[in-house]
Amino acid sequence: MSGGTGGGAGQRTAAQPAAAQPTAAGPAFTDPAFHDWLASMRRERPVCFDESLHMWRVFRYADATRVLSDPDAYSSELTRLMPEQSFTRGQLTMMDPPDHRKVRNLVGQAFSARVVADLEPRIATLTTELLDAVVDQGRLELVADLAHPLPVLVIAELLGVSDGDRAFFRASAEAVLAIDSVDLGDPEFVRSAEEAQRGLTDYMLDQVRQRRTHPRADLISRLAAAELNGELLDDEEVANVCTLLLYSGHITTTLVLGNALLCLTDHPDAAAELRADPGLAASAVEEVLRLRPPFIMNTRLTTRECELAGVRIPEGSLVAPSLESANRDERQFAAPDRFDIRRSPNPHLGFGHGIHYCLGAPLARLEARTVLRILLERCTDLARTPGTRLDYYTTPAIRGVRSLPLEFTAAQRS
């Protein structure tokens, strides 16, 4: 890398544009005009500086994929903007090659596609049990009754930690989701991020140390034993990978399920079509990920001066592709604002792109497909409870609901 971090987020004057550069403020995402604003940004200012976030925003699909595909120019090592923090060691989302490749390969040994696929029967059983508790009432609160507890149970069993700690896991996740800033140059943000993760990181570190001396048949033990060219991850690195897996296996699925039911209650014809043909579940999940992605912003740091869409971005600048905007780019998707559960191909960026493609994506997809199939089979006429006011998380990098009350008719079981 040439020239260090340059302006970065902590030294904004070097990375800020000229005073005449328009900013990317825009309406709140709950404003009906929000997606019209994104379309106007794609047309008129596809790359511009957002003074409120101290970042360069990228709105078009082609530019977003370019940023996410080039770790040499757009680095994920954002830790260089922050003081040394224990929770960043082994943190895959903040690594570049070759270190990223080494850790990802080690994680892949323990958290393989086969491991995820083998979870399907257990996911179906847990989904059925959770629905059994509420289905006769003709209503459920999707997040509290299903979208939160299911992925926590699954990832807790996979890691080998107690599902009795579910309340602790949820509190840890909520603390992260409550962070309302993404300003890496702000000491308060760094302090909040460390504080939000400290309890869970300490918990995982204790679990890893137990597995070193007493291995079990669980994912923590497999991660602790995973070896590449004679190298093992140290205890802190394994603990941070496990924390990332808990977050990605829990938060991701919770958000995706909430977003899926928002889409299906907005489009009851699509829900009926999916109920009639459960084989459409996989493509329906992909369309949810495109139209309502759980993560709406990835952040990178330029290692040199870069040019995107004719705009020069200084070295040491934070660059944030808008996945939400890229997924509705009319240059890439036909009728981009239409919810089409048969859309194919569907190369959305809902789980990111490139080497940092979401680690929890295969598990989230499997859980979402399984839940939709069983939920639609057992619950007809699904609709939001009248008078429901949607309560969204306000964390800048994600999109999802805290709660979603639903009403339905319980299907007759043969």
Side-chain angles (χ1 to χ4, degrees):
M1 184 183 112
S2 61
T5 62
Q11 304 174 44
R12 293 178 191 130
T13 54
Q16 282 187 2
Q21 171 68 40
T23 65
F29 73 88
T30 52
D31 190 313
F34 177 69
H35 288 113
D36 290 338
W37 175 77
L38 288 181
S40 72
M41 296 304 289
R42 290 192 298 271
R43 283 193 310 270
E44 300 163 17
R45 291 180 286 168
V47 176
C48 70
F49 191 75
D50 186 331
E51 290 181 345
S52 65
L53 295 176
H54 312 292
M55 295 177 179
W56 291 82
R57 304 284 301 278
V58 178
F59 293 94
R60 289 181 183 169
Y61 183 95
D63 297 322
T65 55
R66 180 177 168 188
V67 170
L68 300 176
S69 301
D70 187 356
D72 289 335
Y74 302 95
S75 170
S76 296
E77 290 189 2
L78 307 182
T79 51
R80 69 190 73 187
L81 302 180
M82 299 183 285
E84 181 69 21
Q85 302 291 335
S86 62
F87 70 83
T88 63
R89 297 199 67 245
Q91 182 59 268
L92 273 167
T93 59
M94 293 188 177
M95 285 183 171
D96 290 334
D99 291 340
H100 175 272
R101 187 178 305 112
K102 181 194 80 170
V103 176
R104 184 101 186 194
N105 286 343
L106 284 168
V107 173
Q109 292 179 28
F111 190 52
S112 65
R114 171 53 59 189
V115 167
V116 173
D118 287 346
L119 293 171
E120 185 167 8
R122 182 60 177 152
I123 293 169
T125 297
L126 289 170
T127 301
T128 299
E129 290 174 355
L130 289 167
L131 282 176
D132 283 345
V134 297
V135 73
D136 290 339
Q137 302 170 17
R139 62 183 183 276
L140 79 156
E141 201 292 281
L142 180 79
V143 177
D145 295 335
L146 184 59
H148 163 68
L150 173 68
V152 169
L153 287 166
V154 172
I155 199 67
E157 290 184 9
L158 185 62
L159 287 168
V161 297
S162 172
D163 63 13
D165 291 325
R166 279 185 288 168
F168 167 65
F169 296 149
R170 180 165 194 175
S172 299
E174 291 291 336
V176 171
L177 292 172
I179 298 172
D180 60 2
S181 167
V182 289
D183 190 344
L184 299 177
D186 179 0
E188 179 61 23
F189 165 75
V190 177
R191 186 201 61 76
S192 297
E194 183 181 31
E195 187 174 292
Q197 297 195 56
R198 184 183 296 122
L200 186 56
T201 301
D202 289 346
Y203 173 94
M204 286 298 181
L205 191 57
D206 181 61
Q207 295 290 319
V208 172
R209 288 168 176 162
Q210 291 181 37
R211 301 311 194 279
R212 293 288 194 199
T213 53
H214 302 289
R216 306 177 195 170
D218 60 32
L219 185 55
I220 296 177
S221 298
R222 291 198 296 273
L223 284 166
E227 185 176 321
L228 187 67
N229 299 326
E231 288 189 71
L232 298 170
L233 298 175
D234 66 29
D235 289 357
E236 248 182 26
E237 289 172 323
V238 176
N240 286 333
V241 168
C242 290
T243 299
L244 175 62
L245 285 170
L246 183 67
Y247 284 145
S248 61
H250 161 205
I251 295 175
T252 303
T253 300
T254 300
L255 295 172
V256 170
L257 287 174
N259 289 344
L261 268 297
L262 286 175
C263 287
L264 292 174
T265 52
D266 277 343
H267 302 88
D269 290 348
E273 187 178 8
L274 181 54
R275 182 179 291 108
D277 185 359
L280 291 171
S283 61
V285 169
E286 298 309 305
E287 184 67 344
V288 170
L289 291 167
R290 184 190 70 83
L291 204 67
R292 288 183 177 268
F295 307 108
I296 58 167
M297 180 190 299
N298 281 180
T299 307
R300 300 290 187 266
L301 180 69
T302 55
T303 62
R304 56 178 180 261
E305 183 180 79
C306 298
E307 184 174 320
L308 278 176
V311 175
R312 290 193 176 277
I313 302 175
E315 176 187 349
S317 298
L318 289 170
V319 180
S322 170
L323 308 186
E324 195 167 21
S325 176
N327 280 352
R328 291 178 183 248
D329 191 341
E330 47 285 317
R331 297 158 190 79
Q332 181 67 35
F333 300 97
D337 294 322
R338 187 178 71 216
F339 181 61
D340 179 3
I341 64 172
R342 296 177 181 271
R343 186 181 296 273
S344 180
N346 194 351
H348 62 78
L349 306 182
F351 282 139
H353 183 76
I355 64 171
H356 287 289
Y357 194 78
C358 179
L359 192 63
L363 181 56
R365 282 188 165 106
L366 176 60
E367 290 175 322
R369 292 196 305 267
T370 304
V371 167
L372 290 184
R373 175 177 59 79
I374 296 173
L375 184 63
L376 291 174
E377 177 185 288
R378 299 192 61 183
C379 306
T380 62
D381 305 317
L382 266 168
R384 294 177 208 167
T385 300
T388 295
R389 182 179 180 275
L390 295 179
D391 180 19
Y392 287 94
Y393 288 107
T394 58
T395 310
I398 71 162
R399 193 75 81 234
V401 286
R402 297 176 189 271
S403 63
L404 185 59
L406 299 174
E407 295 184 351
F408 55 85
T409 302
Q412 296 296 317
R413 304 187 73 181
S414 55

